[in-house]
């Protein structure tokens, strides 16, 4: 079959300029693969996480209740507002891991794990029908602790007594917080095993699915209040706490859905940026091709080619790149989506059923991969084929001087060495191409610095939260204890210099119209507490005389819109209520809605004077201890309080609270840095392309330089300086743009991950690091074009018509 | 003689851009002025010229006399500032870029001093390329015709070679074969031997004489008087004017 030579020419041109072809194919692939990776990952997460989550009948509400039996469950289940209800017993325990250390374990007891009505778990391995002295472990916990079916698991309840159980099943539980995040394992036993472990057989938690408006938070909480008043309290039981499961998410929604969606949105924005920048790179590279072929275009016109034939040839060229780019992008996007979905799956604890590319994503990638390069190549192809035969053959290769005000200003630069002057003027010769290159590098720089600013902001955000956790260790006192006793006992530990007993309870605000707010935490603490350093947004903190005054956090202001400094509110705990005035508002600190009041006021409200529910300690008033010091204090606190029969709970250290947090943030930042790195790579490739075009356009100039004695080093220097000037200009522009871009990215990440307002911190470290990176990019991008320029011989470039 | 020698460039008519006035090539008071940042430069002044079919004409003159400008006017590569140019009945000065490219592909074969072969195409493909653009010959014929042209210029054994593998003389012969691809009546060449040794130059001139005997009209720009003498007629330019 005879293929017209003009198509053969294009194929041969693509092959003969392999490095440039690779550049444009790679740039198309990056942009298209990014979009495919993120979109496909989102679809897989939607299918496998959100889909599986909904299938297991997720609870709308979880209610912790004083010990109760099955008849309470039946009574709640019989309510018309309730669709389903499941009772369970939750016990805090410890499990011996493979290294001989005790890890926290949340032990869930059900009558029959195979027959759950709410928050159903799925079998992974072994069996779910549990007998006495048998246990099932959650999948991620088993992996983390190194357990397999058949192992003997040693667990410890309150006290020193240990129990060996046989691990008969590994299950997947989408409804609990994952081990990878909280560091707490989850296990399942039946009630008979609990009895065998000398625990009374009762339930203490209800998981409830409401009948209607399952996703309406206000309605769900209202149903919760009805359940509490009409059934639970009416039956003589006490509600410990009640709320929507998760971290402030809406009912029926996976706890991480907002965070994942927010994170994917951020990645999608960066993916779109990658597409735009790769489009810029395609323009640059297609321009380079046309520049290189200007003379050939002139020749083809001289032998009869009309413009439309030439346009068709170069569109065919771009189409070939698009197809090859797609051939790389489709599998790359699939692999990337697999990696991203696996990352989310590991973080959130769900399984990917299949890794495939949806037809919608494939269609999107194909459209993007074909239309984007062809679309952006229109202008360079049309302008490149417009040149007359005369100019193409006789004029090209001699750069022309610009005549605008900027060029005249540059002409006044005289006192520098001629090669530097030449570089400066060459840099600004083709302003349209320079603007394009600067755009890609500036965006890359702005994003790069924005990622660092996001990291700095997150660090500050965590530090702000940490102000409310200004202790080395804390120990819960499940049944409450006398304040003086608790503090005295704690201070008997030589390493502890500060001990504060705090009281806490769950309350509601009674509004003027008689309705009640959702549950919120009420904390009674010393007004001059040392284990908290609140960040006041408005008003002031408590002082000694504040008996009817409270400080609220910003979360509460979001929930109760009419609340402000000076507002009077009626607070109710149990059956008791009092009115208080709001005197201050603290920042959000991942606690949910919270009210702080002076300790004595708390006692008056709850009728529990001198009772505290948690002790918070520090080794040193001036500084928080190291992780090892915190662990040592925690261990001593636990032992001391157990010996004194004050508490058998496990303590918690500050580093344990924040350790997993920062791990998660670091992972997110790694992903963002990879995206920023891709953008920097695309920007660098764009600069390489631009410098390459500039060398081609000034072939004869370079020949003249060689003819008058310029060495290889001098010729290279001209190109490298040009690259460095472009890099520096882009750094300045990127620095200017990085402020708003950093604020936008940091705000989006903090909102997505922490559901909190932003404390923005600009990263000067990122700014300086980008200066180093862009310098490296500028020099590295200049190497190939400068080497090409240095290789040109005088004969080649001047003896050329 | 093979049939594909019979297809020659068409003149067309009917739109005022095509007019036969008896001569194959006619320049009427043609001037060309270039505007540069240093001022205007007159490359051609009021040039009148007539060339008929079958002539072998050399155009001579010193550097800057306007030789290249004149031949560029004829081929449509450059445009006159004033005056009229008629070639094979077409008013070249009135054709736009697209029309000129089509007209040129069928009517004028251009041979450059530095050959200007496309580097990534083989010699055979370079010769075939104008036929693909012009559509004058059927697809099936193009390969055979291209080989025939290479035989004509004596480099058929280099058909599959890339231009970079050929000597200067071979490249120029390949360029001549390309110029003949669509069987144009006119061959325009600017310093065809300027880059060749004397042996190669002699072969090129022999080739031109062969083409004249086959009915072609050849215009050759040269600064070499000895070479110019091989032509039937010499047009001498000085300071943009025809002096002989």
């Amino acid at each position: 079959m005879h293929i017209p030579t003009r198509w053969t020419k294009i194929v041969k041109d693509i092959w003969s300029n392999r490095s440039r072809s690779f550049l444009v194919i790679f740039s198309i692939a990056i942009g298209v693969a990014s979009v495919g990776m993120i979109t496909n990952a989102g679809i897989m997460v939607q299918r496998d996480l959100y889909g599986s989550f909904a299938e297991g009948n997720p609870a709308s509400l979880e209610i912790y209740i004083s010990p109760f039996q099955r008849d309470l469950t039946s009574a709640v289940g019989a309510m018309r507002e309730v669709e389903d209800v499941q009772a369970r017993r939750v016990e805090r325990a410890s499990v011996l891991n493979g290294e001989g250390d005790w890890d926290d374990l949340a032990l869930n007891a059900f009558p029959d794990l195979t027959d759950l009505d709410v928050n159903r778990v799925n079998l992974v391995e072994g069996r779910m029908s549990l007998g006495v002295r048998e246990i099932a472990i959650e999948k991620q916990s088993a992996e983390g602790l190194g357990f397999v079916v058949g192992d003997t698991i040693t667990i410890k309840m309150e006290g020193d007594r240990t129990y060996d159980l046989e691990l008969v099943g590994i299950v997947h539980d989408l409804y609990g917080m994952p081990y990878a995040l909280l560091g707490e394992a989850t296990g399942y036993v039946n009630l008979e095993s609990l009895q065998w472990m000398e625990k009374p057989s009762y339930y203490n938690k209800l998981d409830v699915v409401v009948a209607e408006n399952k996703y309406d938070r206000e309605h769900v909480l209202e149903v919760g209040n009805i359940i509490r008043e009409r059934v639970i309290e009416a039956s003589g039981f006490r509600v410990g706490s009640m709320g929507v499961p998760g971290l402030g998410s809406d009912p029926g929604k996976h706890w991480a859905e907002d965070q994942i969606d927010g994170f994917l949105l951020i990645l999608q924005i960066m993916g779109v940026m990658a597409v735009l920048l790769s489009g810029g790179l395609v323009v640059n590279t297609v321009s380079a091709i046309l520049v290189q072929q200007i003379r050939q275009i002139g020749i083809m016109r001289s032998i009869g080619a009309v413009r439309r034939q030439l346009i068709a040839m170069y569109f065919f060229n771009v189409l070939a790149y698009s197809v090859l780019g797609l051939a790389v992008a489709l599998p790359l996007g699939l692999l990337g989506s697999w990696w991203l979905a696996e990352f989310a799956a590991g973080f959130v604890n769900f399984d990917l059923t299949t890794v495939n590319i949806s037809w919608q994503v494939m269609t999107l990638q194909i459209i993007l991969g074909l239309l984007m390069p062809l679309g952006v190549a229109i202008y360079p192809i049309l302008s490149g084929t417009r040149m007359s035969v005369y100019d193409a053959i006789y004029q090209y290769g001699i750069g022309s001087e610009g005549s605008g005000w900027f060029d005249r200003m540059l002409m006044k630069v005289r006192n520098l060495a001629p090669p530097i002057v030449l570089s400066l003027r060459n840099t600004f010769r083709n302003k349209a191409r320079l603007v394009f290159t600067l755009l890609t590098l500036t965006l890359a720089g702005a994003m790069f610095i924005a990622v660092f600013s996001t990291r700095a902001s997150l660090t500050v955000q965590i530090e702000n939260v940490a102000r409310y956790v200004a202790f080395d260790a804390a120990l819960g006192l499940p049944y409450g204890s006398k304040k003086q006793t608790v503090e005295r006992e704690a201070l008997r530990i030589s390493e502890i210099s500060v001990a504060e007993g705090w009281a806490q309870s769950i309350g509601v605000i009674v509004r003027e119209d008689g309705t009640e707010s959702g549950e919120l935490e009420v904390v009674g603490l010393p007004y001059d507490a040392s284990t908290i350093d609140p960040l006041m947004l408005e008003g002031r903190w408590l002082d000694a005389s504040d008996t009817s005054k409270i400080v609220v956090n910003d979360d509460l202001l979001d929930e109760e819109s009419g609340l402000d400094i000076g507002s009077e509110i009626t607070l109710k705990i149990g059956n008791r209520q009092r009115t208080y005035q709001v005197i201050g508002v603290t920042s959000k600190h991942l606690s949910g809605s919270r009210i702080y009041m002076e300790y004595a006021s708390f006692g008056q409200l709850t009728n529990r004077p001198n009772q505290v529910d948690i002790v918070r300690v520090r080794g040193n008033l001036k500084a928080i201890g190291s992780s090892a010091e915190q662990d040592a204090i925690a261990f001593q606190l636990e032992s001391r309080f157990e010996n004194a029969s004050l508490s058998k709970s496990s303590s918690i250290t500050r580093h344990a609270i924040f350790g997993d947090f920062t791990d998660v943030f670091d992972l997110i930042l790694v992903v963002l840095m990879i995206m920023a790195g891709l953008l920097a790579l695309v920007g660098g490739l764009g600069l390489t392309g631009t410098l390459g075009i500039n060398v081609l356009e000034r072939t004869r100039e370079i020949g003249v330089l060689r003819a008058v004695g310029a060495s290889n080093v001098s010729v290279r220097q001209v190109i490298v300086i040009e690259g460095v000037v472009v890099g520096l200009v882009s750094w300045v522009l990127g620095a200017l743009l990085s402020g708003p871009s950093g604020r936008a990215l940091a705000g989006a990440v903090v909102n997505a991950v922490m559901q909190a307002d932003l404390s923005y911190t600009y990263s000067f470290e990122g700014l300086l690091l980008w200066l180093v990176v862009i310098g490296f990019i500028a020099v590295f991008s200049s190497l190939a074009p400068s080497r090409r320029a240095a290789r040109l011989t005088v004969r080649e470039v001047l003896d050329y018509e | 003689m093979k049939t594909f020698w019979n297809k020659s460039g068409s003149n067309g008519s009917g739109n005022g851009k095509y007019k036969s006035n008896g001569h194959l090539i006619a320049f009427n008071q043609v001037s060309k002025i270039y505007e540069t940042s240093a001022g205007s430069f007159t490359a051609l002044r009021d040039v009148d010229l007539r060339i008929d079919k079958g002539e072998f004409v050399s155009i001579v003159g010193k550097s800057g006399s306007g030789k290249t400008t004149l031949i560029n006017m004829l081929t449509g590569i450059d445009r006159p500032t004033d005056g009229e140019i008629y070639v094979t009945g077409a008013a070249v000065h009135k054709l736009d870029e697209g029309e000129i490219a089509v007209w040129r592909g069928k009517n004028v074969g251009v041979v450059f001093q530095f050959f200007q072969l496309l580097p990534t195409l083989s010699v055979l493909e370079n010769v075939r390329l104008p036929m693909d653009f012009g559509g004058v010959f059927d697809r099936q014929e193009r390969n055979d015709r291209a080989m025939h042209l290479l035989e004509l210029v004596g480099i058929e054994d280099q058909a599959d070679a890339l231009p970079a593998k050929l000597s200067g003389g071979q490249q120029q012969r390949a360029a001549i074969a390309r110029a003949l691809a669509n069987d144009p009546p006119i061959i325009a060449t600017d310093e065809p031997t300027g880059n060749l040794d004397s042996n190669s130059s002699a072969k090129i001139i022999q080739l031109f004489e062969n083409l004249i005997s086959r009915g072609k009209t050849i215009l050759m720009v040269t600064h070499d008087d000895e070479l110019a003498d091989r032509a039937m007629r010499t047009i001498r330019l000085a300071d943009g004017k025809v002096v002989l």
Side-chain angles (χ1 to χ4, degrees), chain A residues 216-237:
Chain A
D216 183 338
R217 188 183 189 85
E218 221 174 283
H219 170 75
V220 163
L221 291 173
E222 210 178 292
V223 169
N225 284 333
I226 295 171
I227 294 172
R228 185 182 60 204
E229 285 167 11
R230 274 202 222 147
V231 179
I232 298 173
E233 288 177 349
S235 306
F237 299 98

Side-chain angles (χ1 to χ4, degrees), chain A residues 267-525:
Chain A
L267 289 183
Q268 260 164 352
I269 292 170
M270 294 183 93
V272 167
M273 284 188 65
V275 169
L276 292 174
L277 292 182
S278 73
L281 194 59
V282 169
V283 171
N284 246 1
T285 314
V286 170
S287 298
I289 291 166
L290 285 156
V291 162
Q292 194 178 32
Q293 300 231 334
I294 282 293
R295 197 177 290 271
Q296 291 187 38
I297 289 171
I299 297 304
M300 285 190 283
R301 295 197 75 166
S302 77
I303 60 174
V306 293
R307 193 173 172 213
R308 62 172 166 74
Q309 287 173 319
L310 296 170
I311 290 170
M313 283 168 69
Y314 290 102
F315 268 122
F316 173 71
N317 197 153
V318 175
L319 184 65
Y321 286 145
S322 297
V323 169
L324 291 170
L326 269 174
V328 173
L330 287 173
L332 196 64
L334 180 62
L335 275 174
S337 69
W338 180 18
W339 173 80
L340 193 58
E342 281 280 3
F343 166 70
F347 168 58
V348 168
N349 186 25
F350 69 95
D351 291 323
L352 286 179
T353 52
T354 50
V355 179
N356 58 3
I357 184 164
S358 79
W359 68 265
Q360 297 102 317
V361 173
M362 196 182 301
T363 307
L364 173 67
Q365 286 187 281
I366 289 171
I367 290 172
L368 200 59
L370 291 178
L371 291 185
M372 182 271 286
L374 289 172
V376 300
I378 287 175
Y379 178 74
I381 289 174
L382 289 181
S383 67
T385 53
R386 187 184 297 135
M387 193 173 278
S388 71
V389 179
Y390 181 83
D391 286 338
I393 294 175
Y394 295 104
Q395 294 299 320
Y396 219 73
I398 303 174
S400 56
E401 287 299 325
S403 56
W405 65 268
F406 192 78
D407 303 291
R408 290 196 296 275
M409 192 180 73
L410 279 179
M411 288 301 295
K412 291 179 183 163
V413 175
R414 289 183 198 283
N415 293 329
L416 298 171
I420 297 175
V421 172
L422 192 61
S423 295
L424 273 176
R425 292 183 192 159
N426 286 341
T427 301
F428 297 98
R429 185 169 275 171
N430 190 320
K431 294 175 189 60
R433 188 179 306 138
L434 175 66
V435 163
F436 225 63
T437 308
L438 281 177
L439 195 66
T440 53
L441 283 174
T442 300
L443 281 175
M447 280 314 302
F448 187 95
I449 300 168
V451 172
F452 273 83
S453 296
T454 301
R455 180 168 144 255
S457 301
L458 278 174
T459 305
V460 166
Q461 206 84 12
I462 292 172
E463 281 168 8
N464 284 344
V465 171
R467 289 170 66 151
Y468 297 85
V469 189
F471 55 74
D472 287 315
L475 184 66
L477 308 163
Y479 305 107
S481 294
K482 280 186 120 170
K483 184 175 186 297
Q484 290 83 355
T485 307
V486 164
E487 289 174 358
R488 182 188 63 225
E489 206 57 42
L491 286 169
R492 280 197 174 132
I493 300 170
S494 58
E495 286 85 349
I496 292 176
S497 62
V498 173
E500 290 172 0
W502 288 21
Q504 53 199 39
S505 189
I506 302 296
V508 295
I509 293 172
V510 182
R511 302 186 187 108
E512 282 178 8
D513 60 3
T515 58
E516 293 181 351
S517 70
E519 289 190 341
L520 51 95
E521 198 178 353
V522 182
V523 175
L525 73 170

Side-chain angles (χ1 to χ4, degrees), chain B residues 13-243:
Chain B
S13 62
N15 58 0
K17 293 184 178 177
Y18 297 90
K19 187 170 145 182
S20 171
N21 60 356
H23 298 284
L24 187 64
I25 296 166
F27 277 49
N28 298 333
Q29 292 288 291
V30 172
S31 295
K32 177 67 185 181
I33 300 169
Y34 291 105
E35 299 293 342
T36 70
S37 53
S40 52
F41 167 69
T42 305
L44 289 178
R45 289 169 208 277
D46 303 323
V47 169
D48 284 306
L49 192 63
R50 305 285 180 266
I51 296 170
D52 290 315
K53 187 174 182 317
E55 287 199 81
F56 183 5
V57 179
S58 63
I59 302 169
V60 299
K62 290 182 182 172
S63 283
S65 60
K67 310 186 296 296
T68 298
T69 306
L70 187 140
I71 205 145
N72 283 344
M73 294 288 139
L74 182 144
T75 58
I77 285 175
D78 202 353
R79 292 180 168 280
T81 312
D82 277 307
E84 298 172 332
I85 302 171
Y86 294 93
V87 183
T88 65
V92 175
H93 58 285
K94 286 186 181 175
L95 298 178
D96 61 37
E97 279 290 325
E99 288 167 333
I100 278 188
V102 174
W103 168 84
R104 183 169 47 233
K106 293 172 185 171
N107 287 277
V108 184
V110 183
V111 181
F112 298 96
Q113 178 180 359
F114 287 95
F115 331 128
Q116 306 289 18
L117 297 169
L118 299 190
T120 56
L121 294 179
S122 67
V123 169
L124 186 74
E125 287 166 340
N126 265 281
V127 175
R128 222 168 56 203
L129 191 60
M131 291 185 247
D132 286 337
F133 285 132
V136 173
F137 296 96
D138 296 333
R139 282 194 187 179
Q140 291 81 358
E141 286 182 86
R142 290 174 195 171
N143 223 51
D144 288 343
R145 175 168 171 78
M147 274 309 297
H148 176 79
L149 289 170
L150 290 178
E151 284 167 13
L152 184 70
V153 300
I155 55 166
E156 67 276 15
D157 53 336
Q158 302 294 332
D160 294 327
L162 291 177
K165 300 284 185 200
L166 272 58
S167 68
Q170 289 173 322
Q171 287 191 59
Q172 194 62 295
R173 280 185 274 166
I176 292 169
R178 183 181 67 186
L180 293 168
N182 286 327
D183 196 22
I186 299 168
I187 305 294
T189 170
D190 190 350
E191 304 281 5
T193 59
N195 220 29
L196 304 178
D197 57 75
S198 53
N199 195 32
S200 301
S201 298
K203 286 184 181 164
I204 297 299
I205 296 302
Q206 268 174 11
L207 191 51
F208 285 162
E209 287 166 346
N210 186 5
L211 292 173
I212 292 293
S213 73
R214 289 171 186 265
K216 300 296 179 192
T217 304
I218 296 179
L219 275 85
M220 178 178 69
V221 166
T222 181
H223 65 271
D224 186 337
D225 285 337
E226 207 176 301
L227 207 61
D229 288 343
R230 298 283 290 270
M232 294 169 179
R233 180 154 75 106
T234 298
I235 295 171
R236 186 173 292 278
L237 288 173
D239 296 324
K241 289 170 94 80
V242 175
V243 297

Side-chain angles (χ1 to χ4, degrees), chain A residues 92-104:
Chain A
R92 294 279 167 234
S94 305
V95 59
L96 193 65
N97 63 26
E99 277 125 46
D101 296 319
W102 292 99
D103 276 351
D104 291 336

